[in-house]
Every structure is written in structure tokens, then in C-alpha cells.
Amino acid sequence: MISLQEFLDVSPTSFHVVNSASHELEQVGYASQTYKDAGGSHFAKDKGVVTRGGALIAWHWPQEITTPEGVLIFGAHSDSPGLHLKPNSTSTTLGWSQLNVEIYGGVLLNSWLDRDLGVAGLLYFADGKCKLISIDEPIARIPQLAIHLDREISEKGLMLHRQNHMKPIWGTNTSLLFTQWLCEKCEVSPSLLTGFELQLFDTQKSVVLGAMGEFLVSGRLDNQVSCWAVVKSLIENTQPTQPTLVALFDHEEVGSQSINGAAGPLLEHVLGELLHERKASQSFAAIAKKSVMVSADNSHAIHPNYLEKHDQQHAPMVNLGPVIKRNANQRYATNGEIASRVVDAARRANIPTQDFVANNAMPCGSTIGPMSATRLGIDTIDVGVPQLSMHSVREMCGTKDPDYLVDLFNLLGSTDF
Ligand code: ZN
């Protein structure tokens, strides 16, 4: 399995996350198919993967287990907030060439200013084919207004208009369409191009920093750390005690309500096909009630400059282990009994864990756990590494926590916890 930093550096979009994950799984014997093309014989395989857009379901389910007690599912989301290109991508203003972008999810807009941006995603062609691309060199930038022209910034803060102020500049040749430039760069014919799903991304690679190398800094730590950890654990756990699945869902940052999101039917359909091919005698409901879902997504670490934003008795710190996220209002799906079993197993294996509960005066985030738990009726725990700068173009977590997360997942996958 590639390192976390390599995974982050080659995965600028959810499509690339799925591509990177399925490639790693193929390397160790998992058969990969698009969901559309996968027939019964594919789902009969002990180790398989199906992909659809930015979503992926992988399983390790030996065929002889026809009557499983339950299944263990590790879930994470593959998408991150960002700037997506609109179909009519080029605009020109007084000699500047700019890009028309759509804001995806809860972007910290200020963090995208003065960054050197590349473009990545999918190109679609008239022959029905598509091509995954990543222009890894800086081609665009959203310049912040000079302080001389924004004298109120110190008193009133930075105000950014989502339509007017977030348009990147990418050139001065106003007769050139962005798609023409892109086709030339990617060596494809503009006449065959029928559409695209492209995003901008920060071309700066991940780095380790801090006096003792304590911190990992990168784009998209939320939630590619979890995607990497669940895939790595599936690969390392070669003898699971029960059928084990990994589900990477897209569109969590916009509410998960899509066919490839956690609120959609993808996981349920794949589980149905896996049971059908194994001629399982139990119903899906009978298996669901004994199954466990581990929903992996990053948590807020306590921010030393904003202590008042946290509940200081439930304030995770970086490098002190995975965070179990709880919310009485069910913004997290953590179930008391499952959390107790996980804490007990982790304690016995000397894997540290921490607790997060939001400050009551603050809104609480959410994740895929409540979506898939409600849909499937499977007991769930929400867990993830603590981080700062969540939803910034460049986020920060501890260097030890991703490995603790893999250790925890390996433990849960290889023992009857
Ligand atoms: Zn997340």
C-alpha cells in the first residue's frame, strides 16, 4: 500500500481517490470492475471491488461463508470541499482570462486565495469513453485584493462574494477557450469532447512539519486519511474473522443525498448481490442486525487559539489516537454498545482513543455514519483522526494518528471485538 502522503498527492478528486484505492486493491488480488459492468460472477469472487464515479465498494468475503453472523463495514467519504469548473468554463474581463467555478460543499473560501491551482477530474467523449486527468502544474490563481484597496479588512474581516470574488485567473489570451487549452494539454480532440467533471486543487504537495515532525499538512486530509486507512486495513487484514467490506462514498460534503452518496442505495445493492451469489439462507435484515459499521471521518482537534469553541472536557489532541465522536442528537451515529466494545478492544491492545462531543453552543458537523446506519439499520461507530483547519484547502493533522487508525481497524477486523 502506498504511503498516506503519496495517496494524498495523487488523489486531487474523489475520482482519483477511487482510482488510487482500486489500484492498490488490484495489486493484492482484488478483482475490480465498474459497478455497471459487474455481473454475478464478479460478486461471487472472494475479493472484489466495484466502482461508480467517486464511490467504491470493496469486499473480502470468502465464498464458503454462506451464512455469516454479520458483516463488518468500514466506511469513509471520498470527496472534499472545493471549486468545480462550470460547463462554460471560460470568461474574460478586460484582458484577463478567468474560470467559471461552482463552490462545492463548505469551502473555507479565504484558504483558496493566492494558491497555485491545478485542475483534475474526468473528461467525457462522444464515443462514450472518459479519461481521468490531473494537470499537476500550477495553471490558475485567485489573487486576494491588495490591503490598500480593502482598508476595512482589519476591522470587519475578509468578505468574499461567492460568485464575484472566487473566479481564478488563468491567462491573458482571451481568444483561447479553457477547454481548447485543456484538450491540447491532454492530447485529446476538442471535437470529441462532450463534457467534463473537473475541479481545481492546490498543487502544493503534502509535507511533514513541526519541531519534531509532529504534523502532517496537506489538502483533503478530510477525508482521504480515512479512505487510506480503511483500504490499508482491508489489504493488511488477510484473514478476516467475518466478511469485511470497505465503502467509500461520494458527496458527503453536500449531504450524501445522491446515488453515490451514503444516503443512496449503492451499499445496500452490493450487499444484496454478494448475498445472492453466496446463496445465503438469511435475509438481509437478519444479517444487518448482527453487523457493525465503522464510519471513519476526521474530527476537530482542540484549537489553541479558540478554546471557547470547544467543550474542553471533550477536546481531542493530535497524536493521542483516534477520536470516537458522539452526539445525543444523532449527528453522529455512535452506538453506546458498539463504542463500549471498541474501547474495550482498543484498551486491551494499547491503542489510545479519545472522545469528542461538540460544545453545546456550536453547530455540530455530521458524517456518513448516520446516513448509512439509518438506511441499513446497522449498529455504527463514528471515529476518525483529530485535525485543525477542517475544510481549508490545506489542512493539518498529527503524523501518528493515521497509523493508530489503521491499527484500530486492523484490530477490529481480525478479532471478535
Ligand atoms: Zn469529512
Side-chain angles (χ1 to χ4, degrees), residues 77 222-223 252-253 297-298:
H77 68 85
D222 171 17
N223 189 28
E252 189 273 346
E253 300 294 356
D297 198 356
N298 293 2

Side-chain angles (χ1 to χ4, degrees), residues 1 25 28 30 46-47 59-62 71-74 228-246 294 405-417:
M1 178 79 187
L25 289 163
V28 293
Y30 282 73
D46 286 4
K47 292 177 170 186
W59 62 88
H60 186 181
W61 189 328
V71 296
L72 178 61
I73 303 166
F74 292 96
W228 173 82
V230 295
V231 172
K232 184 172 164 74
S233 172
L234 187 67
I235 288 173
E236 290 183 352
N237 183 14
T238 53
Q239 294 191 311
T241 52
Q242 57 187 320
T244 304
L245 284 84
V246 156
V294 179
L405 197 64
V406 174
D407 291 345
L408 180 64
F409 294 165
N410 284 350
L411 177 71
L412 300 181
S414 61
T415 53
D416 285 319
F417 66 92

Side-chain angles (χ1 to χ4, degrees), residues 111-302:
S111 69
W112 283 77
L113 304 179
D114 298 337
R115 288 278 166 182
D116 306 334
L117 304 174
V119 64
L122 282 172
L123 302 180
Y124 295 92
F125 302 102
D127 59 4
K129 295 196 171 120
C130 65
K131 182 175 180 165
L132 187 67
I133 62 137
S134 179
I135 308 282
D136 219 4
E137 60 195 67
I139 54 132
R141 180 181 169 92
I142 310 168
Q144 185 169 354
L145 186 64
I147 194 165
H148 318 81
L149 305 178
D150 191 8
R151 286 293 185 196
E152 293 183 330
I153 191 170
S154 303
E155 293 76 44
K156 295 193 174 169
L158 178 63
M159 300 295 288
L160 291 168
H161 190 281
R162 291 164 67 85
Q163 173 69 16
N164 299 342
H165 297 162
M166 297 306 295
K167 274 181 159 182
I169 287 170
W170 73 282
T172 55
N173 179 358
T174 54
S175 62
L176 181 65
L177 286 175
F178 181 73
T179 45
Q180 283 175 320
W181 175 87
L182 190 70
C183 285
E184 200 170 302
K185 197 82 186 161
C186 299
E187 296 173 340
V188 297
S189 163
S191 62
L192 289 178
L193 186 73
T194 47
F196 56 75
E197 289 179 273
L198 294 170
Q199 304 171 29
L200 297 170
F201 69 97
D202 185 358
T203 54
Q204 190 178 358
K205 303 290 185 197
S206 61
V207 295
V208 169
L209 61 80
M212 308 291 283
E214 296 99 322
F215 311 122
L216 172 62
V217 174
S218 171
R220 307 171 304 279
L221 292 174
D222 171 17
N223 189 28
Q224 292 186 13
V225 171
S226 302
C227 293
W228 173 82
V230 295
V231 172
K232 184 172 164 74
S233 172
L234 187 67
I235 288 173
E236 290 183 352
N237 183 14
T238 53
Q239 294 191 311
T241 52
Q242 57 187 320
T244 304
L245 284 84
V246 156
L248 305 183
F249 295 111
D250 205 348
H251 304 141
E252 189 273 346
E253 300 294 356
V254 291
S256 297
Q257 305 276 346
S258 78
I259 61 165
N260 290 339
L266 183 62
L267 177 57
E268 194 178 342
H269 287 177
V270 170
L271 275 167
E273 302 229 37
L274 292 168
L275 287 168
H276 178 75
E277 287 308 315
R278 283 156 185 76
K279 302 184 175 49
S281 50
Q282 315 103 304
S283 65
F284 176 74
I287 290 169
K289 70 185 177 189
K290 294 195 174 173
S291 296
V292 170
M293 176 145 188
V294 179
S295 158
D297 198 356
N298 293 2
S299 165
H300 298 295
I302 188 158

